[in-house]
Amino acid sequence: MSTAERGGEPLRPTLLIARDRSALAGSAADWIAEHIAATVAEHGSCAIALAGGTTPAAAYARLARAAVPWSAVRVYFGDERAVPPDDPASNYHMARETLLRHVPIPRTGIHRMEAESEDPDEAARRYEAVLPDRLDLLLLGVGADGHTASLFPGAPALEETHRHVVPADSPAPPVRRLTITPPVIAAARRVAVLVAGAAKAMAVARALEGALDPREVPAQLARGGTWLLDAEAASLLQKVPA
Ligand code: 6PG
C-alpha cells in the first residue's frame, strides 16, 4: 500500500509553500531540524534518509547550521548513482559537501549506498541489511517526469513489494543507480518531499492532484507526505490552502 492511500482512502498532502527557492531552503532546514529533534527526544535516535539531486543542497547547507542532536542521528540515502563517492554526480558527495562534513555525526552513523559496486544487486542487498525497517524521516525530491528517488515512470522497481533496495536504470545519466523501493516509502514514519522551480510545477500537480497511478507518476507514492515547495513548484496546484 503506497503512502498515496491508506485503507483505500486517498491521503492528503501537507503543503508548506515558501515564496522562493531561498526561503524554501531556510524553511525546509527548519522543518527537518525540528522533526529530527522531536524524533530524538521521543525515541532517543533518528534514522533519516537524504534525498539526492541538486534541490536539497541549499537546505542541507542551512541544516548544517541548525541546532540538531547530531550524535543521535543515523544517515541513509534514498538512492545513489553508480559513480565514486568523490564524483560531483554522487548524492553522497553532495550531502557530504553541504552537510555531513560540517556536523558531528559519528562516521559509523553515515551509511553510503555503494552504487558504484561491480555487483549492483549484491550492493543493494548489502544496503538493505543496514537500512532500518522503518525510517523515521525520508526526504525525497521529484524529477520533471514525476520520478522520485530513482523510481522512474514505468520502472520494474515500482512493482517491487518485498525488497527494500534494488538496482535501477535512469533514462538520464548516470544511468545505473540503486534506489529504495515503494515499501520503504510506505513504511517511513514521516516523508518530506522538497521541490523547487517552475520546471517541476506540472510534476507536482500530477503527483498531488492527478489520477492515482504511481507507475506513471512515482512521486504519488509520497502523496500523503509533507511537501516543501517554493511558489513556482506549487504554481499549478488547484487546491492550495489560502
Ligand atoms: C537523484 C535524486 C532524484 C532527484 C530528482 C530531483 O539521484 O537524482 O534522488 O530523485 O531528487 O531527480 O533532482 P533535482 O533536485 O536535481 O532537480
Side-chain angles (χ1 to χ4, degrees):
M1 186 187 311
S2 78
T3 47
E5 58 182 19
R6 191 155 285 137
E9 283 301 308
L11 287 174
R12 300 271 175 269
T14 300
L15 301 183
L16 297 178
I17 300 173
R19 67 180 177 282
D20 58 29
R21 204 180 273 262
S22 171
L24 176 62
S27 57
D30 291 346
W31 188 93
I32 295 164
E34 177 190 326
H35 284 89
I36 291 174
T39 301
V40 171
E42 189 176 348
H43 300 292
S45 66
C46 179
I48 179 174
L50 298 179
T54 57
T55 303
Y60 292 169
R62 298 284 292 271
L63 182 61
R65 303 199 293 271
V68 170
W70 291 112
S71 61
V73 175
R74 288 173 287 132
V75 170
Y76 302 86
F77 290 82
D79 71 326
E80 186 55 277
R81 295 89 177 272
V83 296
D86 288 328
D87 188 309
S90 157
N91 289 334
Y92 169 79
H93 180 270
M94 181 273 287
R96 184 187 66 195
E97 294 307 303
T98 55
L99 173 61
L100 302 178
R101 68 187 306 173
H102 304 291
V103 295
I105 296 181
R107 286 287 155 264
T108 53
I110 299 174
H111 301 275
R112 182 178 77 84
M113 275 187 174
E114 296 172 353
E116 74 279 17
S117 163
E118 285 307 309
D119 184 342
D121 196 65
E122 192 275 332
R125 293 182 188 280
R126 218 171 37 242
Y127 201 78
E128 197 167 81
V130 301
L131 193 65
D133 286 342
R134 293 194 71 189
L135 288 162
D136 294 309
L137 179 54
L138 170 59
L139 303 183
L140 292 171
V142 176
D145 63 355
H147 80 260
T148 193
S150 282
L151 296 167
F152 293 89
L158 289 164
E159 311 300 331
E160 181 58 54
T161 56
H162 296 293
R163 293 185 63 178
H164 289 180
V165 182
V166 294
D169 285 346
S170 162
V175 171
R176 282 184 42 229
R177 315 264 180 117
L178 291 188
T179 185
I180 57 172
T181 58
V184 175
I185 299 174
R189 290 191 172 86
R190 193 178 291 277
V191 177
V193 188
L194 182 56
V195 196
K200 303 290 181 71
M202 180 53 75
V204 169
R206 292 175 70 207
L208 297 183
E209 297 176 348
L212 193 59
D213 185 0
R215 286 164 305 184
E216 277 309 304
V217 190
Q220 290 182 347
L221 293 168
R223 184 178 273 191
T226 298
W227 288 61
L228 308 169
L229 307 170
D230 70 355
E232 286 188 346
S235 60
L236 294 181
L237 290 177
Q238 302 300 314
K239 303 167 202 154
V240 175

